[in-house]
């Protein structure tokens, strides 16, 4: 019976929107819900929290480093608006601030006083603070980290049938080599535990897809994933999975002495051979096309990028975007779910429209 359901699901029409099935032949709710969550493809936003740098601060940055200014010259609307627009992967990066106040006086604000309104009052309280580049690119659409999560959860409660949303994050701890820059705190073991605490303070256990749930009774998380351990779309609707998108050295601190990720909230970016392997970040869809496709076929969930650093938008270059969708990566991230008219008509939307579709690699015989 289960095999029959999966066979029917993998025969879905390419135009079937998995979040809102049409009910027509090949696009029924029963067939769609039989899919595993690694068998779908959807679109999300990169640095979803990022607001525009204030004009005077951007002018100062451009005078000092034009290339850096170009790469930072993008922004996103509120998280709720992005979710309403179809984003099913979000990125929320943060710094460690257990005492509060460490990031309350950005250097750029001192060097280039700007009249553009921006409230920094929440920075005084303890907790993870959402920031792209401390001191330089600090304006965000939600603050602190838990407030961003609460906004996402509020939206989810009003849209309970949404496909599972992946929330990835980078840990900002690389020191900016500029005189007067704030000293960043490292994410030690205590900080890693605090991440789990903050996420669990917002989401109830039944709203999360965790490594333990996927691993089940298997010896390792990787073993479970290779054996098809991801939940079905029916079981995962309205839920979230988190992934730490970091270097091997950083994720090793989060993982600790665990065999996989027992007891942890988030998945980690790691190589395919690791016992903790389930999620992988592979951001170069052209150069890493073969590796992405192989990882997807094996059962891993992959996030890749359709564009980076504003270059594709400035040139209206759709090559990486097309490679990203063709790779089969389940989550394709972009800075341009909507085009920036300053640059071009470039945008990255799911081919054929809709919110989520059958993964193009897994759909093939």
């Amino acid at each position: 019976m289960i095999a029959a359901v999966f066979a029917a699901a993998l025969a879905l029409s390419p135009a079937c929107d998995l979040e809102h099935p049409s009910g027509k032949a090949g696009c029924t709710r029963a067939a769609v819900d039989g899919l595993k969550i690694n068998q779908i493809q959807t679109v999300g936003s990169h640095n979803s929290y990022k607001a525009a740098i204030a004009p005077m601060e951007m002018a100062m940055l451009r005078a000092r480093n034009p290339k850096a200014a170009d790469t930072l010259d993008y922004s996103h609307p509120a998280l709720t608006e992005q979710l309403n627009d179809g984003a099913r992967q979000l990125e929320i990066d943060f710094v460690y601030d257990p005492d509060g106040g460490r990031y309350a006086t950005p250097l750029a604000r001192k060097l280039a006083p700007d009249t553009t309104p921006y409230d920094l009052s929440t920075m005084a309280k303890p907790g993870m603070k959402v920031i792209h580049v401390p001191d330089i690119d600090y304006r965000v659409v939600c603050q602190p980290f838990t407030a961003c999560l609460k906004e996402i959860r509020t939206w989810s409660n009003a849209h309970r049938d949404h496909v599972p949303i992946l929330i990835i994050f980078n840990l900002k701890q690389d020191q900016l080599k500029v005189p007067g820059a704030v000293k960043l705190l490292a994410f030690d073991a205590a900080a890693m535990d605090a991440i789990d605490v903050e996420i669990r303070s917002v989401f109830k256990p039944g709203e999360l897809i965790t490594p333990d749930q996927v691993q089940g009774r298997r010896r390792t998380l990787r073993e479970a994933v290779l054996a098809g351990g991801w939940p079905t779309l029916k079981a995962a609707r309205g839920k979230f999975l988190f992934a730490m998108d970091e270097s091997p050295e950083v994720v090793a601190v989060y993982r600790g002495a665990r065999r996989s990720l027992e007891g942890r909230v988030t998945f980690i970016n790691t190589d395919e051979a690791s016992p903790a392997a389930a999620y992988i970040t592979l951001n170069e869809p052209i150069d890493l096309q073969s590796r992405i496709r192989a990882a997807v076929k094996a059962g891993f969930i992959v996030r890749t990028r359709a564009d980076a650093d504003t270059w594709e938008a400035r040139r209206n270059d759709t090559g990486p975007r097309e490679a990203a969708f063709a790779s089969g990566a389940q989550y394709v991230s972009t800075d341009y779910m909507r085009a920036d008219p300053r640059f071009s008509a470039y945008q990255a939307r799911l081919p054929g429209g809709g919110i989520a579709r059958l993964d193009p690699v897994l759909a093939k015989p």
Side-chain angles (χ1 to χ4, degrees):
M1 179 63 180
I2 295 176
V5 171
F6 288 154
L10 293 175
L12 288 170
S13 163
C16 182
D17 182 354
L18 305 184
E19 187 157 301
H20 303 292
S22 64
K24 298 177 181 178
C27 192
T28 64
R29 183 63 180 263
V32 166
D33 280 353
L35 291 167
K36 294 294 186 80
I37 66 171
N38 64 306
Q39 295 175 316
I40 73 174
Q41 186 178 66
T42 188
V43 180
S45 55
H46 162 253
N47 289 343
S48 314
Y49 56 90
K50 185 176 159 17
I53 297 176
M56 291 181 64
E57 293 170 7
M58 175 58 83
M60 176 187 67
L61 177 61
R62 191 168 294 283
R64 299 186 179 195
N65 192 332
K67 183 176 180 179
D70 279 350
T71 65
L72 297 176
D73 193 9
Y74 66 95
S75 62
H76 293 291
L79 297 180
T80 298
E81 185 175 338
Q82 295 179 58
L83 290 165
N84 285 335
D85 198 27
R88 295 298 179 263
Q89 175 259 300
L90 299 172
E91 180 177 356
I92 308 175
D93 303 334
F94 47 86
V95 292
Y96 185 41
D97 190 20
D99 300 318
R102 178 171 292 268
Y103 305 95
T105 55
L107 183 60
R109 200 173 177 86
K110 301 174 186 176
L111 297 178
D114 196 290
T115 57
T116 305
Y118 187 68
D119 183 8
L120 283 163
S121 61
T122 57
M123 304 296 274
K125 301 177 181 179
M128 307 295 176
K129 303 303 190 310
V130 179
I131 294 179
H132 186 218
V133 183
D135 280 316
I136 295 176
D137 194 4
Y138 60 89
R139 294 174 184 247
V140 296
V141 301
C142 56
Q143 191 73 268
F145 178 54
T146 52
C148 300
L149 299 185
K150 289 175 182 177
E151 180 180 350
I152 296 166
R153 183 175 184 269
T154 296
W155 179 90
S156 174
N157 286 337
H159 303 81
R160 296 306 301 163
D161 280 348
H162 67 76
V163 298
I165 294 172
L166 171 66
I167 300 177
I168 65 173
F169 56 90
N170 302 142
L171 306 180
K172 301 296 184 175
Q173 55 185 339
D174 293 335
Q175 185 64 41
L176 189 66
K177 295 178 175 60
V178 176
V182 64
K183 180 175 175 56
L184 275 66
L185 296 181
F187 278 83
D188 56 13
M192 295 300 189
D193 290 343
I195 295 172
D196 283 6
V197 169
E198 292 208 2
I199 294 172
R200 291 192 189 279
S201 75
V202 175
F203 291 99
K204 297 178 181 178
E207 297 168 339
L208 296 171
I209 300 169
T210 64
D212 280 343
Q213 292 171 8
V214 176
Q215 183 172 336
R217 297 182 178 180
R218 298 281 180 172
R219 184 174 180 274
T220 67
L221 181 57
R222 178 181 184 271
E223 181 182 321
V225 166
L226 297 183
W230 293 107
T232 64
L233 188 53
K234 181 179 181 179
R237 286 189 181 276
K239 296 184 179 182
F240 297 83
L241 60 161
F242 285 77
M244 182 182 295
D245 181 15
E246 273 295 347
S247 66
E249 296 77 17
V250 174
V251 298
V253 179
Y254 182 75
R255 184 180 172 192
R258 295 167 179 82
R259 176 180 292 167
S260 295
L261 290 166
E262 292 81 5
R264 284 304 199 188
V265 174
T266 90
F267 297 88
I268 59 172
N269 175 36
T270 187
D271 67 87
E272 296 90 326
S274 169
Y279 163 85
I280 308 173
T281 298
L282 297 172
N283 283 333
E284 293 75 34
I286 294 177
D287 294 343
L288 299 179
Q289 179 83 191
S290 297
R291 184 179 171 188
I292 295 173
R293 293 173 71 89
V296 169
K297 288 180 179 179
F300 299 106
I301 284 180
V302 180
R303 178 261 200 171
T304 195
R305 291 183 65 179
D307 43 76
D309 300 328
T310 76
W311 302 133
E312 287 78 11
R314 292 176 187 276
R315 299 170 174 80
N316 198 17
D317 179 4
T318 61
R321 181 190 73 189
E322 303 312 314
F325 286 121
S327 73
Q330 291 89 343
Y331 292 93
V332 176
S333 182
T334 179
D335 288 319
Y336 301 98
M337 288 193 68
R338 296 292 174 180
D340 186 335
R342 299 176 303 160
F343 299 150
S344 70
Y346 175 87
Q347 62 178 358
R349 309 290 295 195
L350 194 68
I355 302 297
R357 68 173 182 171
L358 181 63
D359 190 281
V361 169
L362 299 179
K364 296 179 180 179

